[in-house]
Amino acid sequence: MAVLADGSIVLLKGKKREFLVEVSEGELHTDLGIIQLKELREMGHGDSVTTHLGHDFVIQKPRTIDFFRHCKRVGAPMIPKDIGIIIAYTGLNKEDEVLDAGTGSGILAIYLGSIASKVITYERNAEFAKIARKNICATGLKNVEVRYGDILSEAPQLKEKFDVITLDMMDASQMIPFIKNMLKPGGFVVTYSPFFEQSKDIREAMGKEFSEVRTLECMERDINFAKGRTRPSTRAIGHTGFITIARL
Ligand SMILES: C[S@@+](CC[C@H](N)C(=O)[O-])C[C@H]1O[C@@H](n2cnc3c(N)ncnc32)[C@H](O)[C@@H]1O
């Protein structure tokens, strides 16, 4: 098995805790003891590392969901139930070029980049753009470019055309007039808005220019399994945002 390269990011999965760490000279201090991260240099995925208090952690290659759980967050990252809808209904694939705004922590951009050929994502907050770049760099994705800027002022000059455009930003309705010139024929635009009013503004801005327009939301509820008492959990992830999908 190949040993881990210095600087690579791995998931350390224990029975009660898990950590996303960089293979480096440092130490990881946890409530279950200290792990010498340099020990990982001799190891590979599937091996175990032990804290000085004797707790084992299995080394795993992180997947996108692990970055969602552990990377630094700013604002309100999109959550997997909503990202899944976007990927499924746009039919996102490895040939697609995607425009995304705003970047926030880069969570949606990371998911999109793990499937599409290229993702350009705009963020108008310099600090958020920096954090998103760091998060994206940790994933190892080379096809996601974070551009610092306001998409509303950049959009009229943009020469690139996209298969899919995702807008998770307050004033998404103001982007709609630019979308027709930015989408490739048959491409999709998707907006994500927490409020009815924003979704209504987006639908009004779309007018009759787009086809297959729909606004939906997705709820996620676990099923609890217990002998003779198997039923849906009382708690659910209910409202997060309304997703409007439209096509040229
Ligand atoms: C809800 S967060 C996006 C979360 C992101 N989709 C994720 O999954 O991490 C909205 C972001 O849009 C940015 N934003 C709002 N309006 C923008 C604009 N006109 N141009 C670029 N970024 C914008 C905000 O600064 C904020 O970081």
Side-chain angles (χ1 to χ4, degrees), residues 57-242:
F57 286 81
V58 179
I59 303 165
Q60 293 184 349
K61 185 169 187 246
R63 299 179 65 86
T64 313
I65 187 68
D66 302 312
F67 291 106
F68 168 76
R69 287 186 185 130
H70 296 289
C71 73
K72 183 160 182 190
R73 292 172 175 211
V74 285
M78 202 178 285
I79 69 171
K81 75 175 177 72
D82 297 319
I83 295 171
I85 293 270
I86 294 174
I87 290 169
Y89 282 115
T90 60
L92 192 78
N93 64 71
K94 60 183 187 310
E95 288 168 14
D96 281 347
E97 294 179 320
V98 182
L99 175 71
D100 171 59
T103 316
S105 327
I107 299 292
L108 176 61
I110 288 170
Y111 271 93
L112 298 170
S114 70
I115 298 173
S117 117
K118 182 178 169 189
V119 177
I120 293 169
T121 178
Y122 275 86
E123 175 54 58
R124 69 179 176 186
N125 179 308
E127 188 56 28
F128 292 3
K130 209 166 132 193
I131 290 165
R133 279 194 194 104
K134 219 169 156 197
N135 285 338
I136 292 161
C137 180
T139 67
L141 288 169
K142 302 279 184 255
N143 59 340
V144 181
E145 180 191 343
V146 179
R147 291 186 186 167
Y148 167 50
D150 187 326
I151 189 63
L152 287 168
S153 41
E154 299 291 326
Q157 288 89 258
L158 269 187
K159 298 275 181 287
E160 294 128 310
K161 302 265 184 209
F162 302 93
D163 300 281
V164 173
I165 298 177
T166 54
L167 302 171
D168 179 6
M169 50 184 265
M170 183 90 90
D171 301 317
S173 64
Q174 292 180 33
M175 271 296 290
I176 301 301
F178 305 117
I179 296 294
K180 224 177 159 188
N181 287 331
M182 300 167 82
L183 270 184
K184 295 182 195 172
F188 280 95
V189 59
V190 182
T191 65
Y192 183 76
S193 330
F195 305 116
F196 280 120
E197 288 81 357
Q198 288 170 302
S199 307
K200 200 161 163 277
D201 289 349
I202 288 161
R203 294 290 297 247
E204 276 172 14
M206 281 179 174
K208 299 203 183 312
E209 301 261 34
F210 294 87
S211 66
E212 302 176 33
V213 187
R214 59 191 296 227
T215 298
L216 53 105
E217 73 171 331
C218 170
M219 313 234 180
E220 181 179 313
R221 190 168 61 170
D222 277 316
I223 306 299
N224 292 341
F225 286 83
K227 203 166 179 216
R229 292 185 291 115
T230 298
R231 65 179 186 87
S233 166
T234 310
R235 296 174 65 183
I237 307 178
H239 178 68
T240 46
F242 299 113

Side-chain angles (χ1 to χ4, degrees), residues 18-38:
E18 57 178 47
F19 302 97
L20 207 56
V21 299
E22 184 178 341
V23 180
S24 61
E25 268 301 310
E27 293 180 333
L28 175 71
H29 290 246
T30 81
D31 55 339
L32 300 173
I34 299 169
I35 294 174
Q36 299 296 333
L37 295 175
K38 64 178 175 224

